[in-house]
Amino acid sequence: MTSPLSYRGRFAPSPTGLLHAGSLVTALASRLDALSHDGTWLIRIEDIDPPREMKGATEHILATLDRMGFVSDEPILYQHDRYEAYEAALETLKAQGFAYGCGCSRKAIQEASVALGLPQGVYPGTCREGVHGHVRAWRFRTHDTVTTFTDRVCGEFHQNVERDVGDFVLKRADGFWAYQLAVVVDDIASNITHIVRGQDLLDNTPRQLLLYDALKAPRPTYYHVPLVLNDEGQKLSKQSGATPLNPDDLLGELERAATRLGLPKIGADSLDVFWVKALELWKLTQSNTL
Ligand code: GLU
């Protein structure tokens, strides 16, 4: 039985591309944060979006992490094995009035939100009181309230999910599970207490907190790591041309990731020394966060 106070963290890459400098910074921050709390650290492969996946990426990510000394403390979880858990969570949400079926096509949503003057992408609530046509997707019912949390990096964050996002998708029209539901169901099942991930996900957090509350699970704490940007100021990602890590210089890649996290230059001559020194420095620089 896990003590409610023990630290459990995770790194949850999506195999839509190879590990690159940006994802390495997140992996390093989450591992160092878990180590500095004498916590448990897990790897989860978020392979719930087959159309966006890259063949061989999972194996590449895991092998590269392993070579750099990132070892999951428990068996690696694969989201493609978790469909039953997502279905069960959706049933719970439906039974309690938190989820409803939606029959809108992308075009119908676009037209209705333009007619109502809603911001781009905000669902107009068309099927809230009853599905139009047949159920294509399942959505979470939001309300006009502000969700607030305190991020360890960014401080207080507020969002009115109904106004800024609308009733968001839990299960997609193509039958695949939405990231928002899968990530929360898995983090709850793994008893994750501390989430460390990229700042691109900061504004997804209020949606996920609504799911924690609806599923009656305790909220985790959040540390949203600043993004690594390319020369044009875009987030480093496969889409913005991030090159995969250099397999012949993984120590150098770790050193650069540590610098990007704001740690002083380490200059280690082996992986073992790198991890010891990086941990010492992380503890020093983080002593003022939760
Ligand atoms: N799978 C997500 C990604 O690769 C991360 C999800 C999370 O950490 O919550 O960006």
Side-chain angles (χ1 to χ4, degrees), residues 10 12-14 46 179 183 197 201:
R10 57 28 167 212
S14 304
E46 301 217 313
Y179 157 67
V183 77
R197 61 184 181 192
L201 294 170

Side-chain angles (χ1 to χ4, degrees), residues 13-211:
S14 304
T16 50
L18 306 181
L19 208 60
H20 56 73
S23 36
L24 180 58
V25 170
T26 303
L28 182 61
S30 74
R31 177 96 178 120
L32 288 175
D33 202 50
L35 289 171
S36 72
H37 287 84
D38 292 323
T40 300
W41 182 80
L42 310 177
I43 297 176
R44 179 172 72 232
I45 296 292
E46 301 217 313
D47 52 356
I48 39 158
D49 196 352
R52 289 188 56 232
E53 270 153 39
M54 176 184 170
K55 202 168 178 322
T58 294
E59 295 71 22
H60 175 274
I61 291 170
L62 291 176
T64 309
L65 287 173
D66 190 64
R67 284 187 56 207
M68 288 188 289
F70 289 94
V71 181
S72 183
D73 292 322
E74 292 175 9
I76 294 170
L77 202 71
Y78 291 84
Q79 289 193 323
H80 73 248
D81 288 335
R82 302 273 305 145
Y83 290 1
E84 279 178 22
Y86 307 148
E87 196 69 62
L90 179 60
E91 288 307 318
T92 304
L93 294 170
K94 280 194 233 172
Q96 295 176 6
F98 290 110
Y100 66 87
C102 171
C104 297
S105 64
R106 209 179 279 257
K107 187 162 168 272
I109 295 173
Q110 168 79 13
E111 284 168 4
S113 53
V114 168
L116 291 167
L118 296 175
Q120 169 87 1
V122 172
Y123 180 66
T126 318
C127 295
R128 271 187 176 178
E129 310 309 331
V131 61
H132 287 228
H134 66 281
V135 173
R136 295 159 51 90
W138 287 89
R139 292 184 180 274
F140 186 88
R141 172 69 155 94
T142 57
H143 295 277
D144 185 19
T145 53
V146 174
T147 301
T148 302
F149 72 101
T150 305
D151 185 77
R152 289 167 58 200
V153 179
C154 307
E156 273 213 8
F157 189 82
H158 308 273
Q159 189 181 63
N160 181 324
V161 179
E162 181 185 51
R163 197 192 58 203
D164 295 350
V165 184
D167 294 346
F168 55 90
V169 172
L170 301 170
K171 189 175 190 185
R172 299 171 6 187
D174 61 7
F176 291 117
W177 293 96
Y179 157 67
Q180 310 295 349
L181 180 79
V183 77
V184 171
V185 169
D186 288 342
D187 283 333
I188 293 173
S190 299
N191 291 311
I192 299 299
T193 56
H194 291 67
I195 292 182
V196 178
R197 61 184 181 192
Q199 251 172 48
D200 52 328
L201 294 170
L202 182 69
D203 70 353
N204 285 234
T205 305
R207 270 170 272 176
Q208 295 172 18
L209 291 173
L210 293 179
L211 282 169

